[in-house]
Amino acid sequence: MKLKILVTEGDGIGPEIVKEALAVLEEVTQAGGHTLELDHKRIGGVAIEKDGTPLPADTVAAALDSEAVFLGAVGDDKFDALPASKRPEAGLLALRAALGGFANLRPVFSFKELTINSPLRSEIIEGTDIMFVRELLGGLYYGQPRGWDKEKGVGVNTMVYKREEVVRVARTAFQLAQKRRKLVTSVDKANVLEVSQLWRDTVTEVAKEFPDVALEHQFVDAMSMHLMKRPRDFDVVVTENTFGDILTDEASVITGSLGMLPSGTVGGKIGLFEPAHGSAPKHANKNIANPLATILTGALMLRHTFGLDAEADAIVKAVRKVLEQGFRTQDLARTNPEGLTVLGTREMGEKVRETVKEQLLAASF
Ligand code: IPM
Ligand code: MN
């Protein structure tokens, strides 16, 4: 099989982490007799500088001509003064809209070796395994009207959802839950917001199509607390765009680092795969960035776009093994450096690659 992928490295640490993830993907796919057919295009700050726009037309064209888009990260403080519509992030939002994926999957699971990295106690987080389904194409991020009238001193964004937009993302959540522990937690603010009342009502309706899956509702404020106190109680969590953005950063505390959180967006014509963390420009080009979220994002892409479950499993297993052996990037070693080997971005990528290779060799005998 040929895997036709558009790579958009983006800004900051993007190019470094993507390079390592691609090398791992190359290793596992080759072993299975598949080939990566890669194209590279610009997005974000680098595109603003070279093309005068955060999302050049040829990037969109190449994205629409691929089976999946693999993205590093976008954003740089040097563009902070620009209006929202001209910033690097606007390029990402426009790409998400162009690709049409509405369900952003963010699996949050605790790696045993990293529980010590979390400020939460091990007995609270050990065994956590949550699949967040964040609605990605609606709500405040895209709602009209929006704007900032500087003269009047008024800023406005609109949290708006149509029933169909809720139905489709809710179905994705229930379908995922059917293959997991059969519980969906829907998060809203239905005690205050009409848009959340629509959300809750719609998810309740959709639940009737999935009698084998239990549904519970939580308010977003309470949910942010439950996540810290009893994360193991959740299976699939479905929520709107902004709540999902916030809750998934919060939930990354469970994994020990935001540098461990992969993400992939499905449901549209073309999948978009990007780690959940940002571009961390301060850490760029120092060989210190953690490539593991991006490597795990590669696994998500193999699983959800290409159906290569065995290859995806091999990557996750290799990451586990590397952690078990005491290898860490700097961000993961800060709290407990003793007995650990701190690796740079490239060396961590290489370790995962070697480990994947060993596993594949062992499996073929
Ligand atoms: C994320 C990021 C993006 C978002 C930014 C970079 C636009 O924070 O993927 O969570 O808010 O969706
Ligand atoms: Mn975010």
Side-chain angles (χ1 to χ4, degrees), residues 74 89 92-93 96 106 134 136 141 245 249 274 276:
V74 298
E89 289 83 352
L92 174 57
L93 298 186
R96 287 176 181 172
R106 297 189 165 182
R134 167 188 174 195
L136 204 67
Y141 278 61
D245 180 44
D249 265 36
E274 45 176 330

